[in-house]
Amino acid sequence: MRKVELRMNELEKYEVIKELVDHNGNKNRASKKLSISRRQIDRLIIKYVEKGKAGFVHGNRTRKPINALDNSISEDIILLYKNKYQDWNFFHFKEFLKMNEDIDVSYGFIYKTLTTAGILSPKARKKTKREYIKQKLLHEKKINLTMSDEQIKTIVSHEVALEDSHPRGEKPKYFGEVIEQDGSIHMWFGGIKTCLHLAIDKATSTIVGAWFDKQETLNGYYHVLYQILINYGIPYKFFTDNRTVFNYMSLNPDKRTSEKDVLTQYGYACKQLGIDLQTSSVSQAKGLIERTNGTFQGRLVNELKLHGISTIDEANKYLLETFVPYFNQRFAMDYKKFPNAFETSPSEEKINYTLAVLTPRKIDNGNSIKYMGQFYLPYLNNEIKCFTPKTECLVIKAFDGELLVTIDEKVYNLKKLSRNEKYSKQFDIIKQNVEKKEIFNPKMNLHWNVGEFKYQIKRAHSEHQYA
């Protein structure tokens, strides 16, 4: 038989009624003791006789309140705070939940939901943080209430969470086992801010890729990856910053597929190459690349200024031909003495089509695809191919700028549709012996699939699984 658990007020009623029935007591006295009417006493006696102790359990004990919120709202709030509104104070977060996300809940509900999930407000007082740590240590049984207040205070003040402590760790054994990446926006040259995309091997401290761009862009990361693939091969893992994803995070799926969405596109390319991609928004977790950025800012800025470099092209040339080789010779260990985790470099053709920008599109009523403000028609072997309207496709902008499209797991070339014809058959003399550029049709060997790409986009934003 299941044990019946009564709350304090229910237990009091049960004991009084039990005593009344067992010893044929006075109902008026019981009524005054429980502060209820004689009629209620009679009803409780009937419950006791019919159900015993179980009759005193409140009828709504296991029922969900009619005004209770769905659990999915709590999950959405936690996900939004972690991904899109990280480090916002809770009042500010509440306002934008109502304004942008159409979630109207009380501050108390938000506070309880986030603190239960282990998220404290950035505006929390020291006293609140200490109490939170104390409750956490009590739950983990690292302290107990039999200790003196002085002992508990000492442990709580000295105990630091692992995510806040960043203890020193060992370096990887293999060259290419972990490559740390980051973008550093700084006044590098020419009096304007540009971004240096940098990649360094964690085992040997060797700079394996570097590239200047106007902002922290997919193009910059792709140039770094291109250098790694050409010069060394395919690494095992990238460890990079995910702040770009947080800044661009959008709950609208149609806005997640542009070139700004760096790590989603980059993660898909890494998946094609078999590279694991790990991200962190904590700068201390990737201390090597952060310290290297500081070293570059202290050295490279002065050297670029000394040589009078003021353009990105000149800066990239000096960076790759002069600065990085000297930096590796001066600061890095000889990677040839380390066991190698790099796999063999893929072909130039595969690199070109792997480091691509993929964008889902649909065929319109004119059998064309709109991309970057222009209209394109699908061709195969110089013959136009027609499809039904709203057919899903995947536009592929290769690393060298070539445009392709995949439809129903076949690859087609894209031909730009001009506003007017280039030549008129009636009025222009067309040259006969013009050499036509050979159009290359790549095979479907890189899993260019609309459904798979959309699935990868969804996982990258909701589950933070990039590769």
Side-chain angles (χ1 to χ4, degrees), residues 77-86 117 119 246 464:
I77 289 173
I78 294 170
L79 180 65
L80 283 166
Y81 189 84
K82 285 183 176 180
N83 294 343
K84 189 175 180 180
Y85 300 99
Q86 191 180 36
I119 302 171
F246 285 160
H464 304 291

Side-chain angles (χ1 to χ4, degrees), residues 32 34 141 158 164 202 215 232 274 279 329 388 408 421:
K32 288 187 177 294
L34 295 177
K141 297 182 179 179
H158 290 214
D164 297 328
K202 194 170 181 179
Q215 295 291 335
Y232 303 99
T279 64
Q329 182 183 359
T388 57
D408 298 332
E421 289 185 354

